[in-house]
């Protein structure tokens, strides 16, 4: 029997076999929480909607940063809460890390 180290993100219970991926996910979740709080503090908005918008923005922070720096057309590449095509490859890799950890 082999032992596999696991990292659990307290914010949402996600499990990772890679510490770096777990830390990145935790930072993304923290950003999403802070964005949700910002929205709720400034607008009359449903909690679930604020959380979804926070996640959308946090998952696409690199694309949004580039858009704010002069490439606004990049915002059109964001297709859903899951993120744009660049982020989906990273997300799929993270999902695979989580899946393999759960299977073992």
């Amino acid at each position: 029997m082999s032992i596999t180290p696991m990292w659990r993100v307290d914010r949402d219970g996600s499990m990772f076999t890679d510490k770096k991926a777990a830390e990145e996910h935790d930072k993304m979740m923290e950003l999403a929480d802070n964005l949700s709080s910002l929205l709720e503090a400034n607008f009359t908005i449903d909690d679930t909607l604020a959380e979804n918008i926070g996640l959308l923005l946090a998952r696409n922070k690199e694309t949004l940063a580039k858009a704010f720096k002069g490439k606004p057309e990049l915002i059109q590449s964001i297709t859903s809460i899951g993120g744009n095509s660049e982020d989906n490859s990273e997300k799929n890799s993270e999902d695979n890390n989580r899946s393999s950890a759960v299977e073992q």
Side-chain angles (χ1 to χ4, degrees), residues 38-93:
L38 175 70
L39 291 169
E40 290 171 345
N42 289 283
F43 302 101
T44 303
I45 188 170
D46 178 69
D47 290 343
T48 303
L49 180 58
E51 288 175 12
N52 287 337
I53 293 170
L55 283 171
L56 176 69
L57 296 174
R59 286 182 177 151
N60 293 285
K61 70 180 182 178
E62 290 87 8
T63 302
L64 291 168
K66 290 175 187 175
F68 288 135
K69 290 181 180 179
K71 296 187 177 185
E73 67 276 3
L74 292 177
I75 291 177
Q76 299 303 316
S77 70
I78 299 172
T79 57
S80 67
I81 288 180
N84 64 28
S85 58
E86 290 176 22
D87 291 341
N88 281 341
S89 62
E90 291 176 21
K91 181 179 179 296
N92 289 340
S93 174

Side-chain angles (χ1 to χ4, degrees), residues 3-28:
I3 297 173
T4 304
M6 300 292 299
W7 285 266
R8 181 176 165 271
V9 177
D10 290 336
R11 294 179 195 280
D12 66 353
S14 296
M15 299 291 289
F16 294 86
T17 56
D18 180 55
K19 183 178 179 181
K20 183 178 177 182
E23 288 173 349
E24 288 175 9
H25 183 77
D26 184 55
K27 287 179 185 177
M28 188 269 304

